[in-house]
Amino acid sequence: RACMNPPGLHGTKVARAFEDRAALRGDMRSRLTVQTGPVVLTCGMARAREPLTITNGDVMKKTAFAFAALLACGVAQADTLSKIKESAAVTMGVRESSGALSYTLGDGKYVGYHIEICERVVKAIQKQLGITAMTTKYQPVTSQNRIPLVQNGTVDIECGSTTNNATRQKDVSFAVTTYVEEVRIATKTSSGITGIAQLNGKKVATTTGTTSVQTLRKNERAGGINFDEVYGKDHADSFLLMESGRADAFVMDGQILAGLISKSKSPADFKIVGEVLSVEPIAIMFRKDDPEFKKVVDATIVGMMQSGELAKIYDKWFLQPIPPSNTRVGLPLSDATKAAWASPNDKPMEDYSKK
């Protein structure tokens, strides 16, 4: 699952399997290497002191050994706590511009609601593992590469704005829901757009790798509405498309829209309009099939919910002035988020749509 696209086995069944998997996951640098001649296999999270070397055998034997090694890599990959204990380091996946959930102040500094929650989780992990000094590495991720980077071991815990849905649960795991999002439409105050109906014939911005525009197209009120999609590489880029007039509207998570508007040059020039397009649980993400890691993450977050600490963190990032401009996002705690805290769960968004 995590070790894909190795060089050196071109033309074999295993090479084609890797190539097919890489095509599904997107182009990325794998930390597994496979070479013919001898065959050398290593995995990004495997902790063997020496690489496995296969010096004899035909391609079929090499293929069998390759799959056996991949299975071993999968076992190593799932053991995140052992990886952290051995390295005395944890890598946190962070976003550049995901509203108040996760964003950068520049110079390698990342802040936000989910980042602060993850920092509390990291402290709990450090205490549980008995590590005197632990390093936290901040790895910027995008909507496109966040899941592959979690899968391949580059990122241990992703602290951004990822929707927990059934499709993603096949590839990764999620902590209990910490924020329930409403997907909304943002536009210029002068645009005349008040809802889905006014998007007909318009250009709608969306961020590559997200599901917001697909959500819009599936909305029952969008029947017969035709619009063109324009893509930003990240949320800030998508907002710029609207701000510069290259798009008429930007469809995204409401808190991300509110955060970007509050930090824009002229916040009064923009507004959030229309219907709630969908309700989505947002959660911290990590590797699949790692129950011990999920246990400590969930226990830490649930403890924060029960103590009232999570509510204080929410207030800090959504209701109080936040850096760098000391503006307020101004989003009070929603009933849906309150309900998620009252009954902690990791249900996907499909369960929310059934209500």
Side-chain angles (χ1 to χ4, degrees):
R1 178 176 64 248
C3 307
M4 52 192 171
N5 200 26
L9 286 182
H10 301 295
T12 68
K13 289 182 179 179
V14 74
R16 287 192 293 273
F18 282 126
E19 289 162 3
D20 290 345
R21 189 66 174 177
L24 289 172
R25 295 287 172 229
D27 186 24
M28 55 180 291
R29 179 177 297 176
S30 174
R31 298 175 68 185
L32 172 84
T33 60
V34 182
Q35 299 175 344
T36 56
V39 177
V40 178
L41 301 102
T42 60
C43 182
M45 288 184 61
R47 294 183 297 279
R49 295 185 182 275
E50 298 295 335
L52 171 65
T53 302
I54 304 169
T55 57
N56 299 310
D58 55 19
V59 170
M60 291 304 293
K61 289 182 179 178
K62 292 175 184 176
T63 301
F65 274 108
F67 279 116
L70 289 177
L71 290 174
C73 287
V75 173
Q77 170 140 4
D79 193 1
T80 306
L81 291 178
S82 293
K83 171 181 178 284
I84 293 171
K85 185 172 184 178
E86 189 169 297
S87 63
V90 61
T91 300
M92 188 185 301
V94 293
R95 299 298 296 268
E96 300 277 357
S97 58
S98 282
L101 292 179
S102 182
Y103 66 99
T104 183
L105 295 176
D107 298 323
K109 176 69 174 176
Y110 294 88
V111 296
Y113 172 72
H114 267 158
I115 290 178
E116 186 161 342
I117 293 172
C118 279
E119 288 171 343
R120 306 295 176 92
V121 170
V122 167
K123 288 181 181 179
I125 292 171
Q126 181 179 357
K127 181 178 180 180
Q128 177 173 314
L129 297 179
I131 301 173
T132 303
M134 191 162 77
T135 301
T136 300
K137 302 174 184 178
Y138 296 87
Q139 172 65 53
V141 300
T142 67
S143 298
Q144 290 177 290
N145 68 17
R146 56 189 167 183
I147 291 177
L149 289 179
V150 167
Q151 288 181 300
N152 76 358
T154 301
V155 168
D156 297 311
I157 183 167
E158 194 263 350
C159 314
S161 56
T162 305
T163 298
N164 176 357
N165 64 33
T167 299
R168 289 171 177 162
Q169 283 191 2
K170 295 176 183 178
D171 296 319
V172 292
S173 286
F174 291 91
V176 292
T177 297
T178 40
Y179 185 84
V180 181
E181 185 60 273
E182 294 179 343
V183 175
R184 302 292 300 276
I185 301 168
T187 186
K188 288 185 175 180
T189 306
S190 60
S191 69
I193 296 173
T194 59
I196 294 177
Q198 285 76 44
L199 294 180
N200 195 41
K202 304 292 186 181
K203 292 183 178 179
V204 177
T206 187
T207 303
T208 302
T210 64
T211 60
S212 296
V213 167
Q214 291 93 315
T215 296
L216 171 59
R217 290 193 183 281
K218 292 177 182 178
N219 190 285
E220 60 184 10
R221 294 186 178 90
I225 303 297
N226 295 308
F227 55 85
D228 294 324
E229 298 172 25
V230 290
Y231 294 93
K233 66 179 184 297
D234 56 31
H235 300 317
D237 192 41
S238 297
F239 187 82
L240 182 61
L241 289 173
M242 180 182 65
E243 188 176 35
S244 63
R246 288 173 287 170
D248 301 291
F250 177 21
V251 176
M252 188 46 61
D253 300 353
Q255 69 81 24
I256 292 176
L257 297 176
L260 291 168
I261 289 172
S262 71
K263 290 184 285 187
S264 67
K265 295 177 182 178
S266 302
D269 291 345
F270 306 96
K271 61 181 180 179
I272 296 174
V273 301
E275 310 85 343
V276 173
L277 303 180
S278 72
V279 177
E280 303 182 3
I282 309 296
I284 290 163
M285 177 174 66
F286 39 85
R287 277 177 289 282
K288 191 174 177 65
D289 300 325
D290 195 347
E292 291 305 311
F293 189 72
K294 179 173 172 57
K295 181 179 178 180
V296 66
V297 175
D298 283 349
T300 304
I301 295 173
V302 171
M304 294 167 66
M305 291 173 175
Q306 294 173 343
S307 70
E309 186 178 5
L310 194 60
K312 292 178 181 178
I313 296 174
Y314 184 95
D315 182 86
K316 172 182 174 180
W317 291 104
F318 289 98
L319 297 176
Q320 304 303 317
I322 61 175
S325 58
N326 288 323
T327 55
R328 290 180 174 84
V329 175
L331 282 181
L333 191 62
S334 69
D335 289 341
T337 300
K338 289 178 183 177
W341 293 1
S343 300
N345 67 85
D346 60 0
K347 295 178 181 178
M349 67 173 289
E350 288 78 5
D351 283 24
Y352 285 71
S353 64
K354 293 174 183 177
K355 295 180 179 180

